[in-house]
Amino acid sequence: MKKKTFTEADITAEAVFFMQRRRILQALGIGSGTLMLPGAAQANFLSWFKGNDRPPAPMGEALTFSKPEKWQAALPLTPEDKIVGYNNFYEFGLDKADPAANAGRLTTTPWQLKVDGEVARPLTLSHDELTSRYPLEERIYRMRCVEAWSMIVPWVGFSLHRLLKDAAPTSRAKYVAFQTLFRPEEMPGQKDRFIGGGLTYPYVEGLRIDEAMHPLTLLAVGVYGKALPPQNGAPARLVVPWNYGFKGIKSIVSIRLQEARPPTTWHLSAPDEYGFYANVNPHVDHPRWSQATERVIGAGGILDVKRQPTLLFNGYADSVSPLYHGLNLQENF
Ligand SMILES: Nc1nc2c(c(=O)[nH]1)N[C@H]1C(S)=C(S)[C@@H](COP(=O)(O)O)O[C@H]1N2
Ligand SMILES: [Mo]
């Protein structure tokens, strides 16, 4: 492999993993002297290659859905094997290939998704109700990870506001708190700090009520026309396309409406690096890397390295910037 081909910017995501690992090792009192950045980054690249060679990840059953014109963006889709094989789901490991390799054991039937808190009609959706209670739509969305890589994903799901309106939020519902399944027997990262990246589990996220009610905010139950595979957050996960990917909490078991702003996992882990809002913003850099551009995850392997400018609100500014009118985006990142 020709090492010289790649710049520091090209290995951003991998470098993040290295630094997180080093921080955890230090926190555990284990010296970092044996780890070197180029080696660690290289190892991650190699395992990405390895991921590409794996048999395709198990996919769910075909879904029935419409393709409303307004959500059919003319964008080149990221190949399916990348969307289901290059993942962040730390409950199953830090490497991009880990979730596809390790999430197959996750039990998603039966499933219960509870909606409660500041609502007049609390409700619970079963696994089947997630795909049958609301008409499903295919929506082609940009997806931008805070690690500065991006994909174009054909999700299948429904606007979250349909579910929230069914639950009838009270006037005290100012925020929506989301929680991922907590099941350490099936999620090795919840049992082992090394595998789980030192995050606190269950993974939690949150939105302001107006963000949650925005028509773009999707509860996704499928991708590429089929039910979500576990590594993408089966049976249901959040997709907020103008936010960094970490807001898109996976395998949700609880949606709670509440008056107080809920804690959020990455913000808890490093508040100076990951904000509550997490709006995609090329003008607000991460303290350790630029957010001005992003690496496009393409069809090829390691040599398929394309960067493009990152767009404010990930290209959805026309639709969502009114949500943040008067908010200082530099301070509220
Ligand atoms: N429960 C849970 N949800 C999660 C994560 C995670 O580690 N655990 N990772 C987040 C991050 S950082 C990203 S970029 C997206 C990745 O979604 P994908 O693997 O479907 O592309 O999921 C988000 N949701
Ligand atoms: Mo991410």
Side-chain angles (χ1 to χ4, degrees):
M1 190 184 335
K2 279 189 251 141
K3 232 160 77 179
K4 287 271 160 58
T5 315
F6 309 103
T7 65
E8 165 63 23
D10 292 323
I11 58 162
T12 299
E14 289 72 16
V16 174
F17 289 117
F18 165 72
M19 286 191 261
Q20 285 168 344
R21 255 172 216 162
R22 186 177 56 182
R23 238 198 272 159
I24 294 156
L25 292 174
Q26 282 168 345
L28 294 174
I30 300 164
S32 61
T34 54
L35 293 174
M36 304 282 282
L37 176 57
Q42 201 109 316
N44 275 302
F45 264 133
L46 286 172
S47 57
W48 185 32
F49 259 140
K50 198 176 68 198
N52 288 342
D53 292 339
R54 278 178 206 207
M59 291 298 290
E61 78 275 16
L63 298 172
T64 303
F65 54 90
S66 65
K67 297 187 177 209
E69 188 56 41
K70 67 185 291 202
W71 306 118
Q72 299 303 302
L75 297 166
L77 298 186
T78 302
E80 185 173 355
D81 66 318
K82 288 300 192 302
I83 293 175
V84 305
Y86 185 86
N87 300 100
N88 276 336
F89 200 167
Y90 277 19
E91 285 87 336
F92 295 102
L94 308 187
D95 191 278
K96 293 290 187 278
D98 286 343
N102 301 330
R105 71 177 85 168
L106 182 68
T107 307
T108 56
T109 323
W111 193 268
Q112 284 201 326
L113 168 52
K114 285 201 159 80
V115 184
D116 60 13
E118 286 295 341
V119 295
R121 291 194 299 270
L123 57 99
T124 303
L125 295 192
S126 69
H127 185 275
D128 284 349
E129 284 168 323
L130 284 165
T131 51
S132 64
R133 185 168 166 133
Y134 306 99
L136 301 180
E137 297 174 345
E138 181 174 76
R139 298 187 180 191
I140 295 168
Y141 279 174
R142 292 189 176 84
M143 143 101 166
R144 170 60 155 82
C145 175
V146 74
E147 297 160 348
W149 53 263
S150 69
M151 296 186 181
I152 310 285
V153 185
W155 299 111
V156 178
F158 54 87
S159 278
L160 179 67
H161 66 69
R162 288 179 163 262
L163 176 56
L164 297 181
K165 281 175 189 156
D166 263 3
T170 73
S171 60
R172 293 223 296 253
K174 301 283 190 329
Y175 291 91
V176 185
F178 303 84
Q179 199 173 108
T180 293
L181 177 73
F182 184 70
R183 191 180 287 157
E185 320 86 81
E186 294 184 352
M187 295 175 143
Q190 292 180 339
K191 241 186 344 211
D192 181 318
R193 275 180 68 77
F194 283 95
I195 297 173
L199 296 180
T200 303
Y201 294 102
Y203 194 102
V204 287
E205 256 305 334
L207 294 173
R208 256 181 9 200
I209 188 78
D210 57 341
E211 298 174 308
M213 298 296 264
H214 192 282
L216 275 170
T217 301
L218 190 72
L219 199 69
V221 297
V223 68
Y224 263 106
K226 287 155 281 184
L228 287 176
Q231 63 270 28
N232 291 89
R237 58 90 59 83
L238 185 66
V239 177
V240 190
W242 70 93
N243 287 168
Y244 288 122
F246 67 83
K247 295 297 281 187
I249 181 173
K250 295 178 169 180
S251 304
I252 300 169
V253 292
S254 167
I255 298 180
R256 196 176 177 86
L257 290 92
Q258 55 188 59
E259 189 151 31
R261 192 172 98 174
T264 56
T265 290
W266 278 99
H267 182 67
L268 285 175
S269 144
D272 50 326
E273 301 188 7
Y274 310 97
F276 173 81
Y277 287 96
N279 284 310
V280 175
N281 191 335
H283 312 300
V284 178
D285 286 338
H286 186 278
R288 292 185 278 119
W289 62 87
S290 165
Q291 295 291 25
T293 65
E294 61 204 40
R295 180 165 59 96
V296 179
I297 304 296
I302 195 167
L303 296 176
D304 185 14
V305 175
K306 189 171 98 200
R307 293 197 83 83
Q308 67 187 20
T310 287
L311 302 172
L312 181 61
F313 294 115
N314 206 22
Y316 300 97
D318 285 354
S319 172
V320 303
S321 56
L323 293 174
Y324 307 103
H325 186 74
L327 190 75
N328 182 331
L329 298 175
Q330 302 279 335
E331 285 164 17
N332 300 279
F333 55 88

